[in-house]
């Protein structure tokens, strides 16, 4: 019997057996952009963002704040790190900072991700508004990224700028570029003078003006800054411990020209700065002759790998085989060496006057042409595009544990860039973006397809460093556009089998996993299911959902604590200042949306409404800022927590996804059946839908959730289809629908869709009434810890106390079970209430007020209809109180039904010894005598 084929062999066979279409326009820069083809597995179809216009409502102001931010932010700042990596001019732009900095700034190992988010945000902004300014900004960014890829494909080229004397060569910080001199440059000299003009732009320690050596044992160097921040020259044949050195006493100024010179002869070394001797050592016995012929003679690069590459501008560099006099050194300040008494260096002389190419001429007469190089060489494939060297990807392949200070999720960053490019193509019709995206995937396939399966499994299982975000979804989307078999094969190379197999078997192994590293894995699996039909992927995604929602979900729709999941069902036990990472909500929304497109279980849209109207809206601050998008990272659920809208120095993953969320609020309001026979209304939101295939418009007019209902007006042409209206699970009774003022028959079931089948005509009006009910949701592991909802809206207490508030809510509960009568409305402020002197407000309001999302339920006495029975409210061992059990029977059609419930519960509790007979009688009497609102 033949051995089974490995997954790798199957993938390679699939590629060989498939003829992939050529990417349109790859050679000409032109391509035909079209909406992403809908997979056949989707029983529903979404609408494009431009098909759904956002009207005035709770989303409008927040969206406008983000649109203004996208319109005004300098995109050259986002492109700075890309241009730097390619050795291109950064145009004086300053990177955004935070996670979008270069090496040594916070942690720049994720740089480039935010640019991808911004591209998506701008693309969606154009898709949703049609405002040309966003398309123009997208095209500007795509143009720049195209130039970056072109530069990365070739050898580094000189960046010529104005120098100290004529032209000079700039080394952009982040380019990892240096100048390589031929090995004979020192010429075995027993005496030497080194002379260099430099204009440093960054104050990093140990950046080299020059470093000539074989390794970290035998070398000489001149650094702009030593441990004290001052210039240093050293020579050694015995490593750092054997260095004979010269140290200046003051730092070189940044962004100013400085002249450094070193003379070494007869046992004496002298260091000059701007013509003045600043250090002398008369015990320097080593000379270049003692070093011999060295293999690596570098300008700007150190033999110590941890040292930074010189960042700044360099002009004349000269070397003489003698010690120049002090007067000759002074004269070098006045002009080019050739015009001074010293003349050009006889060992080496580089003017750096070149304005093109990657080499520098030597005017010493020795013909020692120097070459501009990158420390990391160059990309392994022409499709490579990133804001840092490919070394991040290479090093990951040998890592066995995570270390984000060394390698921080390079494929996650690649995903954000890839996604942004795809969105630029899909929304802005930029064919160059598709070409860049396709090239990136060709490059990734060229790397990953060569690795053994065991290596891939190890990589993807590494926390943080191996995180790859939603790259599988993006690659599958690209495959749907290009049809290239390699792209589909690439998507499958990210399979994390251990996780997929566990979820497919419905085995919950999530405890201890990083939440946002794994949620987007499952959107990718769904797209793989779409492309391959492999049921394992769909089953895993479906089961995963039920492991998170609701077992690991907070009331606002968020998940994770400190970015990780804990044990299933533990909610109260995980509440802290670092709960509910905003990226997790973003990705759960995407996953729920995609699951609903496959199978119309209302629970997915129930969650969508919860997370969108609470965490996502509440994660965006309600004020403008030109510098930051003002989006939370974590949302602490501890008492008195104040939301932080400027987290972690800015440019985090959550600020990136927050920008995206604010420009696609409308993406799931409506879906249509694949055959066009039905229209799903998933969210009640002021919008206007243009359903082009039917020639129909649907205008939804509402102030939901400040209004308890919505009005839908049909326009366009006559068309027959089913209108399927979502009936929220939290609405228990009173959901009503009229068409042209006539009630539609049928009993809408909470947590379902109410269907109206008819031929619709222009002017038809559908009125949906959705009565809200105020209720609590209990923490799964601590029923006494609760959060308050009014309809879909989470109401949070605004109170500076850092202890859980003790609240009672049953005192004036309505016969329906609605807790609203216990609260007092705040006049003129919809959805604002007070209780016991504390204001309750919608979580969706992005303020910096201290809030209490959860409170401790405390009802020491049995109070019914506002009347105190005088009887203590007993509790079972699980924390359930007598009042809890009474009101669990709501709604009550009449007062008599409530009294009957009270009698039944009291009898049970008395017989269980939890309540005395006299106390029971008093509770029943109170119920009989009290008055209640319906």
């Amino acid at each position: 019997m033949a051995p089974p084929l490995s997954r790798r062999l199957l993938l390679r066979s699939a590629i060989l057996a498939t003829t992939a279409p050529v990417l349109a326009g790859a050679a000409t820069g032109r391509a035909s952009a079209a909406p992403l083809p809908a997979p056949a597995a989707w029983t529903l179809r979404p609408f494009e963002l431009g098909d759904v216009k956002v009207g005035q409502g709770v989303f409008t102001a927040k969206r406008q704040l983000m649109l203004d931010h996208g319109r005004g932010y300098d995109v050259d700042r986002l492109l700075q790190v890309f241009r730097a990596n390619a050795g291109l001019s950064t145009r004086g732009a300053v990177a955004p900072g935070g996670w979008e900095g270069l090496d040594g700034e916070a942690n720049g190992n994720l740089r480039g991700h935010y640019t991808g988010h911004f591209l998506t945000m701008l693309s969606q902004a154009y898709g949703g508004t049609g405002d040309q300014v966003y398309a123009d900004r997208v095209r500007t960014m795509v143009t720049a990224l195209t130039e970056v890829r072109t530069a990365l494909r070739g050898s580094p080229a000189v960046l010529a700028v104005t120098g100290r004397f004529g032209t000079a060569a700039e080394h952009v910080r982040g380019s990892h570029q240096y100048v390589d001199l031929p090995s004979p440059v020192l010429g075995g000299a027993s005496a030497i003078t080194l002379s260099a003009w430099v204009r440093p732009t960054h104050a990093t320690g140990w950046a080299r003006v020059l470093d000539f050596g074989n390794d970290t044992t035998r070398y000489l160097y001149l650094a702009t800054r030593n441990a004290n921040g001052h210039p240093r020259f050293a020579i050694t044949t015995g490593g750092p411990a054997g260095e004979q050195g010269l140290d200046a006493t003051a730092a070189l100024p940044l962004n100013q020209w400085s002249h450094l010179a070193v003379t070494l002869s007869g046992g004496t070394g002298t260091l000059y700065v701007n013509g003045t001797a600043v250090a002398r050592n008369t015990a320097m016995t080593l000379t270049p002759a003692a070093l011999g012929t060295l293999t690596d003679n570098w300008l700007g690069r150190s033999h110590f790998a941890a040292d930074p590459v010189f960042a700044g501008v360099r002009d004349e560099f000269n070397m003489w085989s003698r010690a120049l006099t002090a007067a000759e050194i002074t004269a070098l300040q006045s002009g080019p060496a050739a015009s001074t008494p010293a003349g050009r260096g006889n060992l080496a002389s580089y003017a750096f006057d070149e304005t093109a190419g990657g080499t520098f001429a030597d005017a010493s007469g020795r013909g020692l042409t120097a070459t501009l190089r990158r420390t990391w060489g160059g990309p392994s494939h022409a499709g490579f595009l990133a804001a840092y060297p490919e070394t991040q990807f290479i090093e990951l392949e040998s890592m066995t544990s995570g270390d984000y200070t060394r390698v921080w999720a390079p494929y996650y960053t690649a995903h954000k860039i890839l996604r942004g490019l795809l969105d630029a193509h899909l929304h802005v019709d930029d064919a160059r973006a598709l070409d860049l995206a396709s090239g990136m995937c060709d490059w990734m396939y060229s790397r990953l397809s060569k690795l053994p399966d065991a290596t891939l499994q190890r990589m993807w299982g590494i926390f943080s460093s191996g995180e790859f975000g939603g790259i599988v979804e993006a690659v599958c989307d690209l495959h749907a556009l290009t049809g290239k078999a390699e792209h589909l094969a690439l998507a499958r190379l990210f399979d994390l089998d251990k996780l997929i197999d566990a979820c497919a078997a419905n085995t919950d192994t999530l405890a201890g996993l990083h939440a946002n590293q794994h949620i987007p894995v499952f959107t990718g699996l769904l797209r793989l299911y779409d492309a391959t039909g492999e049921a394992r992927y769909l089953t895993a995604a479906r089961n995963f959902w039920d492991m998170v929602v609701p077992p690991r979900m907070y009331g606002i729709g968020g998940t994770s604590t400190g970015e990780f999941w804990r044990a299933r069902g533990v909610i109260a036990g995980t509440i802290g200042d670092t709960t509910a990472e905003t990226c997790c909500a973003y990705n759960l929304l995407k996953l729920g949306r995609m699951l609903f497109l496959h199978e119309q279980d209302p629970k997915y849209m129930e969650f969508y409404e919860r997370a969108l109207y609470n965490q996502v809206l509440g994660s965006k601050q309600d004020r403008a800022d030109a510098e930051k998008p003002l989006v939370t990272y974590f949302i602490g659920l501890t008492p008195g927590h104040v939301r932080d809208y400027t987290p972690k120095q800015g440019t985090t993953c959550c600020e990136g996804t927050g920008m995206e969320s604010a420009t696609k609020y409308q993406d799931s309001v409506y879906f249509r059946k694949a055959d066009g026979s039905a229209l799903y209304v998933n969210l009640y939101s002021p919008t206007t839908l243009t359903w082009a295939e039917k020639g129909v418009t649907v205008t939804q007019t509402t102030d939901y959730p400040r209004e308890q209902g919505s009005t839908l007006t049909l326009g366009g042409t006559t068309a027959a289809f089913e209108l399927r209206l979502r009936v929220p699970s939290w609405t228990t009774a009173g959901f009503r629908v009229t068409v042209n003022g006539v009630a539609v028959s049928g009993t809408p079931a909470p947590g379902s869709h109410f269907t109206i089948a008819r031929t619709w005509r222009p002017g038809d009006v559908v009125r949906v009434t959705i009565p809200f009910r105020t209720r609590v949701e209990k923490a799964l592991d601590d029923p006494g810890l609760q959060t308050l909802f009014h309809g879909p809206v989470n109401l949070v207490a605004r109170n500076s106390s850092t202890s859980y508030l003790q609240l009672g809510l049953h005192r004036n509960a309505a016969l329906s079970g609605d807790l609203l009568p216990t609260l007092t409305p705040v006049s003129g402020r919809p959805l604002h209430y007070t209780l016991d002197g504390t204001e309750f407000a919608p979580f969706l309001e992005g303020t910096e007020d201290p809030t209490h999302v959860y409170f401790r339920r405390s009802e020491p006495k049995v109070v019914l209809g506002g009347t105190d029975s005088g009887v203590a409210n007993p509790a079972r061992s699980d924390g359930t109180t007598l009042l809890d059990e009474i009101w669990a029977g709501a709604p009550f059609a009449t007062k008599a039904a409530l009294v009957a419930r009270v009698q039944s519960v009291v009898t049970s509790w008395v017989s269980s010894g939890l309540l005395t007979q006299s106390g029971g009688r008093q509770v029943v009497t109170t119920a009989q005598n009290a008055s209640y609102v319906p």
Side-chain angles (χ1 to χ4, degrees):
M1 180 177 178
L5 290 175
S6 70
R7 180 180 64 170
R8 179 59 47 80
L9 288 175
L10 286 170
L11 289 175
R12 289 175 177 166
S13 298
I15 293 169
L16 292 172
T18 303
T19 301
V22 176
L23 177 63
T28 64
R30 297 288 300 168
S32 299
L36 194 67
W42 290 6
T43 52
L44 297 183
R45 300 284 190 269
F47 290 93
E48 297 297 309
L49 290 177
D51 295 335
V52 185
K53 300 299 182 184
V54 178
Q56 193 66 36
V58 294
F59 297 104
T60 313
K62 290 182 188 279
R63 185 175 83 144
Q64 191 60 51
L65 288 170
M66 198 62 76
L67 290 173
D68 291 344
H69 179 72
R71 177 187 290 267
Y73 195 85
D74 181 5
V75 295
D76 277 333
R77 296 185 63 189
L78 299 164
L79 296 165
Q80 194 260 13
V81 290
F82 284 90
R83 286 172 168 148
N85 189 45
L88 299 175
S89 171
T90 58
R91 306 185 179 188
V94 177
W99 294 356
E100 281 297 309
L102 297 170
D103 294 337
E105 295 175 349
N107 188 340
N109 288 343
L110 214 65
R111 59 183 179 268
H113 83 115
Y114 198 72
T115 302
H117 285 298
F118 211 91
L119 260 177
T120 291
M121 182 265 284
L122 291 176
S123 300
Q124 291 177 168
Y126 177 66
T129 68
D131 191 335
Q132 189 63 35
V133 67
Y134 302 114
D136 291 343
R137 311 202 88 206
V138 167
R139 292 190 178 104
T140 295
M141 295 178 74
V142 172
T143 296
L145 293 175
T146 302
E147 293 168 350
V148 164
R149 187 179 69 173
T150 299
L152 287 170
R153 282 177 167 178
S155 299
V158 63
L159 181 57
V161 297
T162 301
R164 180 68 176 81
F165 309 114
T167 301
E170 182 175 6
H171 298 269
V172 176
R173 182 161 177 263
S175 67
H176 297 270
Q177 291 183 359
Y178 68 101
V179 179
D180 188 16
L181 308 185
S183 58
V185 67
L186 286 174
S190 58
I192 195 168
T193 297
L194 307 169
S195 168
W197 282 98
V198 292
R199 191 177 72 197
T201 58
H202 197 69
T204 51
W206 301 112
R208 301 297 203 257
V209 176
L210 61 91
D211 192 331
F212 298 167
N214 292 338
D215 46 34
T216 57
T217 300
R218 196 175 193 86
Y219 55 79
L220 67 80
Y221 69 77
L222 176 60
T224 56
R225 290 174 181 256
N226 61 12
N228 296 318
H230 307 153
R232 173 177 171 80
F233 171 82
I235 184 170
T236 182
T237 57
E243 287 185 1
Q244 298 176 5
L246 298 162
D247 291 285
T249 56
L252 295 183
L254 297 180
N255 301 305
Q256 294 182 29
W257 284 107
S258 295
H259 181 258
L260 295 173
V262 175
T263 62
L264 183 59
S265 178
T268 297
T270 306
L271 173 62
Y272 296 84
V273 176
N274 295 324
T276 300
V278 296
R280 179 170 281 107
N281 185 344
T282 59
M284 297 187 73
T285 59
L286 294 174
T287 68
L291 298 179
T293 300
L294 300 173
T295 56
D296 299 317
N297 301 285
W298 298 331
L299 303 183
R301 180 180 180 184
S302 170
H303 281 84
F304 290 83
D307 290 342
V309 177
F310 171 77
V313 185
R314 66 171 66 251
D315 206 335
E316 280 208 342
F317 175 73
N318 284 277
M319 293 173 53
W320 294 265
S321 59
R322 66 183 179 89
L324 299 188
T325 66
E328 287 176 313
I329 297 293
T330 300
L332 290 173
Q333 314 305 302
S334 60
S339 67
T340 71
R344 293 188 177 95
N346 67 314
L347 290 179
S349 180
Y350 302 99
F352 298 107
D353 287 335
E354 289 81 359
T355 58
T359 59
F360 303 100
D362 170 31
S364 71
R366 299 177 69 198
L368 301 177
T369 301
T371 305
L372 187 64
R373 303 191 190 281
R374 300 186 187 99
T375 60
W376 57 283
S380 63
H381 185 281
F384 176 74
L385 177 63
Y388 46 61
E390 195 175 359
T391 50
Q392 284 278 300
F393 300 88
I394 296 168
E395 190 171 357
L396 174 62
E397 293 168 9
S398 61
M399 292 179 73
T400 57
S401 62
D403 181 354
Y404 74 92
T405 64
R406 288 170 49 215
V407 175
W408 192 9
Y411 285 97
Y412 172 95
T413 307
H415 162 242
K416 301 309 172 190
I417 300 166
L418 176 63
R419 183 74 262 171
L421 291 169
L422 282 172
D423 289 332
H425 171 68
L426 292 169
H427 293 292
V428 183
D429 195 13
D430 195 320
R432 299 168 305 164
L434 182 60
D435 183 54
L436 289 170
S438 185
M440 284 187 72
C441 289
D442 293 343
W443 154 68
M444 283 187 277
Y445 181 75
S446 75
R447 287 210 67 84
L448 296 177
S449 63
K450 295 180 176 67
L451 299 178
D453 285 344
T455 300
L456 294 171
Q457 296 301 318
R458 172 173 47 76
M459 285 167 56
W460 308 144
I462 297 175
F463 161 60
S464 190
S465 298
E467 181 175 357
F468 55 76
I471 199 166
V472 176
E473 176 194 354
V475 174
C476 287
D477 286 353
L478 177 71
H479 172 256
L481 295 170
T482 68
K484 291 182 69 172
E486 292 90 346
H487 293 164
L488 180 58
L490 170 64
R492 301 191 73 163
L493 292 175
F494 289 93
D495 278 6
L496 181 54
D497 290 332
K498 182 178 179 181
L499 177 67
I500 298 171
D501 291 343
C503 289
N506 207 19
T507 302
D508 189 335
T509 62
L510 302 187
L513 293 184
H514 184 260
N516 198 53
Q517 181 169 348
H518 294 92
I519 298 169
V521 168
F522 292 91
T523 60
L525 296 186
L526 285 173
R527 292 294 284 117
L528 276 175
Y529 166 74
D530 296 336
T532 67
E534 191 169 323
R536 164 178 172 256
Y537 293 136
L538 175 62
T539 302
R542 185 192 295 123
N543 291 342
F544 167 79
W545 178 269
D546 291 332
M547 295 172 190
V548 178
V549 182
R552 292 179 170 91
M553 182 193 74
Y554 302 108
I556 59 173
T559 188
S560 80
T561 181
E563 301 192 7
F564 287 81
W565 282 308
R566 305 305 182 205
R568 183 185 186 115
V570 179
I571 300 299
T574 60
I575 285 177
D577 289 328
T578 58
T579 38
E581 183 185 355
T582 304
C583 272
C584 293
Y586 165 90
N587 280 312
L588 279 175
L589 284 176
K590 288 191 74 173
L591 179 58
R593 178 182 193 266
M594 197 174 293
L595 282 165
F596 190 76
L597 291 171
H598 286 87
E599 48 193 32
Q600 286 71 66
D601 190 327
K603 69 182 179 183
Y604 300 125
M605 283 298 114
E606 286 289 326
F607 173 83
Y608 204 97
E609 179 182 67
R610 175 193 294 268
L612 180 64
Y613 277 90
N614 293 290
Q615 176 157 0
V616 171
L617 279 179
S619 68
K620 173 73 186 85
Q621 191 171 16
D622 297 330
R623 71 176 180 86
D625 192 290
E627 177 69 14
K628 297 182 183 298
L630 300 181
V631 176
T632 59
Y633 190 101
F634 297 119
I635 295 179
L637 301 179
T638 51
H641 180 81
V642 176
R643 288 175 224 170
D644 179 7
Y645 299 98
T646 56
K648 297 179 181 287
Q649 300 180 308
T651 65
T652 66
C653 51
C654 292
E655 288 161 293
T657 54
M659 291 191 297
E660 294 183 31
S661 290
T663 51
K664 66 179 183 80
Y665 288 139
Q666 75 271 38
D667 78 336
S668 297
V669 177
Y670 308 98
F671 294 147
R672 63 192 185 278
K673 284 201 72 173
D675 62 3
S677 63
L679 178 68
Y680 281 73
V681 179
N682 304 310
L683 301 172
Y684 298 100
S685 175
T687 48
T688 297
L689 165 69
T690 299
W691 188 359
E693 295 89 340
K694 288 285 187 182
V696 167
T697 62
V698 179
T699 299
Q700 199 175 162
T701 307
T702 180
D703 197 23
Y704 188 94
R706 292 183 286 249
E707 177 184 351
Q708 299 184 25
S710 185
T711 300
L712 291 81
T713 304
L714 280 294
T717 61
T718 299
F721 57 89
E722 294 178 348
L723 187 64
R724 298 188 177 181
L725 304 165
R726 188 175 64 86
V727 184
S729 61
W730 44 259
T731 185
T732 55
F735 185 98
R736 297 187 303 277
V737 181
T738 63
V739 176
N740 300 329
V742 178
V744 179
S745 61
T747 304
S752 69
H753 285 85
F754 185 66
T755 300
I756 309 169
R758 59 178 280 148
T759 297
W760 300 94
R761 293 176 173 79
D764 281 349
V765 176
V766 180
R767 175 62 191 170
V768 185
T769 301
I770 315 170
F772 287 9
R773 183 171 61 93
T774 304
R775 68 197 188 281
V776 295
E777 290 187 0
K778 302 174 182 179
L780 298 176
D781 53 330
D782 184 353
L785 195 67
Q786 302 178 359
T787 186
L788 188 65
F789 278 83
H790 182 61
V793 178
N794 188 214
L795 297 176
V796 296
R798 290 180 176 169
N799 190 299
S800 60
S801 171
T802 55
S803 299
Y804 284 115
L805 301 178
Q806 307 282 318
L807 299 176
L809 293 166
H810 279 143
R811 67 189 78 165
N812 284 315
L815 289 176
S816 64
D818 193 343
L819 301 174
L820 186 61
T822 299
L823 307 175
T824 302
V826 176
S827 179
R829 302 189 69 191
L831 300 177
H832 285 246
Y833 305 90
T834 59
L835 176 64
D836 298 338
T838 293
E839 181 182 19
F840 281 76
F843 185 92
L844 61 86
E845 293 182 355
T847 73
E848 292 180 298
D849 295 297
T851 60
H852 292 242
V853 175
Y854 283 90
F855 58 87
R856 181 65 61 186
R857 192 66 174 268
S858 177
E859 292 175 302
K861 295 291 187 68
V862 176
V863 180
L864 293 165
T867 303
D868 187 347
S869 69
V871 176
N873 184 23
R876 297 189 187 277
S877 59
D878 65 358
T880 302
T881 69
L882 178 72
L883 282 173
D884 291 336
E885 189 158 331
I886 289 171
W887 288 104
F892 303 108
T894 62
K895 175 181 174 179
L898 169 61
V899 172
R901 172 71 175 184
V902 170
Q903 181 67 69
S904 173
V905 172
V906 163
T907 299
S908 173
W909 282 57
V910 169
S911 64
S912 299
L914 298 171
L915 183 66
T916 66
Q917 287 188 346
S918 61
R921 286 194 295 270
Q922 186 59 37
V923 169
V924 173
T925 299
T926 302
Q928 292 170 334
N929 294 335
S931 59
Y932 309 91
V933 297

